[in-house]
Structure formats: C-alpha cells, structure tokens
Amino acid sequence: AAADGSARAESPLQVLKDPILLTFIVVCFLFHTANGTVLPLVMQTLAIGNGRSGILMSGLCIVLAQVFMVGSAKICGTYSQVYGRKWLFLIGLGIVPIRCAILSGLLIWQGDNEASILQQALLLSTQILDGVGAGTFGTMYILVTSDISGGTGRFGMSLGLTTAAMSIGGTFSGYLGQALAQDHGYLKAFEILMIMSIVPVALYFFCMPETLPEHSKKHEIESMIETSAEQSPEGPVKGPTGNYIEMV
C-alpha cells in the first residue's frame, strides 16, 4: 500500500520473486509439454491404414473431447469453491499419465496387426479423458492464477506468464511427440509421454499449497481444533479467534 493508504500494485520484479507463482509456471509448462502432442498422435494412430474412416475417426477425436471438456469445466467452476483448487487441479494433471498408459496398453494389444473396430473405438474413447483433463485444467489454471496473484494488482501479468508457459510447452510438445513417434514408434512415444506427465503431477502435489484462501483457512482452523482436542480432550478449547469452542 502507498503512504496515503491507497492500494498500489506490486512491481513486476516482486511478482517474479513469488516461489508459488514460479512453481505454477513450471507445472503449466511441463503439463503442456507432455499433453500437447497426445491428441495428434492419437489421430495419426487412428488414421494410419484406415483411409476415409481414419479421417472420420480423427474428426471424432476433437468433437468427443470438446463435449466432455464443456461438462468438466462447468463442474470445476461449481465445486472448486467447495473442495478447493488443489485436488481438482490434480485430477486434471493426473488424467494425462492415465490416458497415456491406456493408449500404450491398447497399442500393445493391437501389436503389428491392423486395428479392429473395437480397438479403434477404444482408442477414440480415450478422448473422453482428454476432454475432462482439458476442461479441468483450462478452468482451474485461471482460478489458481487468480488466487496466487490476489492482492498484488498483477493478475494480468501472472496470467500472461502462465499462458505463455502453456503455449511454449505446447509448441515444444508438437516437435517432441513427432520426433519420438518417428524414431521410436507410437508405443514408445506414449510410454515416454506418460513418464513425463507424472512430473507436473508430483511437482504440484508436493510443492503447491491450496491456493483458495477460504479453503486454506478452514482447514487451518479445523487442524487447530483437532490438535487442541487431542491435548485437552475435556472442557472448552480456545479457538484461533480467541473464543472458546465447546468440545462435545
């Protein structure tokens, strides 16, 4: 705040010194590095040797993902205030390694044979996970960025940084995925991407706090009450506000 009591935005350098924001930027970059190329690889897998039906299946990949993306985004917007940001965001991050593992399993099942209708349908169905993950990430990353930048007056800058990280990661992912598929095959590409996608999940789980202020405060109060109850199982317990809480 300024000397006269008016609000003043933090300097860009102060924003860049925030370790939570920097960690989140790295998470966004790593997530899109692993995830950005999965859809093109799935579309190529479906199109190879299938002629016109392969083109149709490739189009259905996008349509199916978009339908489920809208639904998951609506659910995240509704429940992020109830359950907090962290666990919902972890769902969006964790879907990618699960999806890559399923794709790897389907390609192992297919082997060197031409994909059957059932196998193609199962490959296509993995786009449901893509839609859920994209809708969850797309909604939650804006909310998390807003939480992190709250009170700094630099939401636009923070959102620009996280969006830039996503764009750079997605661009690099396209080159990486095609190089892996060309040099090692689609199966190895999905396996490597699965391992890569675990990194942002672990980083977010271990290094990022719950960013929703009300949710964090609620858990802090509950933890203090539980600790006090264990130390003094009988009688009133003094809460964080100085009031006494009756333990039943």
Side-chain angles (χ1 to χ4, degrees):
D4 59 358
S6 60
R8 177 177 294 175
E10 292 184 0
S11 68
L13 184 59
Q14 287 177 303
V15 174
L16 291 174
K17 287 181 178 179
D18 184 358
I20 297 177
L21 176 61
L22 294 177
T23 301
F24 189 59
I25 290 172
V26 173
V27 168
C28 290
F29 172 78
L30 294 176
F31 172 80
H32 278 270
T33 300
N35 181 62
T37 192
V38 177
L39 173 58
L41 292 180
V42 172
M43 294 171 65
Q44 292 171 22
T45 303
L46 288 168
I48 291 175
N50 292 318
R52 293 182 179 179
S53 64
I55 297 174
L56 174 63
M57 296 290 276
S58 297
L60 288 175
C61 283
I62 300 174
V63 174
L64 188 61
Q66 291 294 317
V67 170
F68 281 87
M69 183 183 70
V70 173
S72 63
K74 174 64 171 66
I75 293 172
C76 285
T78 302
Y79 289 99
S80 63
Q81 295 289 340
V82 179
Y83 298 106
R85 318 292 200 205
K86 185 164 186 176
W87 292 106
L88 286 174
F89 200 87
L90 281 171
I91 291 174
L93 296 175
I95 279 178
V96 180
I98 295 173
R99 179 181 169 212
C100 290
I102 294 173
L103 289 167
S104 299
L106 291 173
L107 290 181
I108 291 173
W109 175 27
Q110 178 182 334
D112 296 329
N113 302 320
E114 186 176 335
S116 64
I117 296 177
L118 175 61
Q119 290 170 335
Q120 291 183 36
L122 290 174
L123 283 169
L124 178 62
S125 67
T126 61
Q127 286 304 109
I128 295 175
L129 295 176
D130 182 32
V132 173
T136 303
F137 186 95
T139 302
M140 297 307 300
Y141 102 89
I142 297 177
L143 296 177
V144 172
T145 304
S146 176
D147 295 339
I148 295 172
S149 61
T152 66
R154 296 291 182 181
F155 170 69
M157 176 183 174
S158 301
L159 186 63
L161 290 171
T162 54
T163 305
M166 293 163 51
S167 300
I168 296 171
T171 301
F172 178 68
S173 180
Y175 169 78
L176 177 65
Q178 296 303 315
L180 289 173
Q182 182 176 352
D183 296 340
H184 304 286
Y186 289 100
L187 175 58
K188 285 294 182 182
F190 285 129
E191 290 175 345
I192 293 173
L193 292 171
M194 176 185 67
I195 296 172
M196 289 176 56
S197 63
I198 294 174
V199 177
V201 179
L203 185 62
Y204 194 88
F205 180 79
F206 290 109
C207 300
M208 282 289 294
E210 171 58 59
T211 57
L212 181 64
E214 294 82 1
H215 195 76
S216 300
K217 185 176 180 181
K218 176 183 176 183
H219 279 279
E220 181 182 350
I221 293 173
E222 290 176 350
S223 178
M224 292 176 65
I225 293 174
E226 290 175 1
T227 302
S228 301
E230 291 175 358
Q231 295 174 351
S232 178
E234 296 181 357
V237 176
K238 196 171 185 179
T241 60
N243 299 324
Y244 284 94
I245 303 172
E246 184 178 354
M247 303 304 296
V248 181

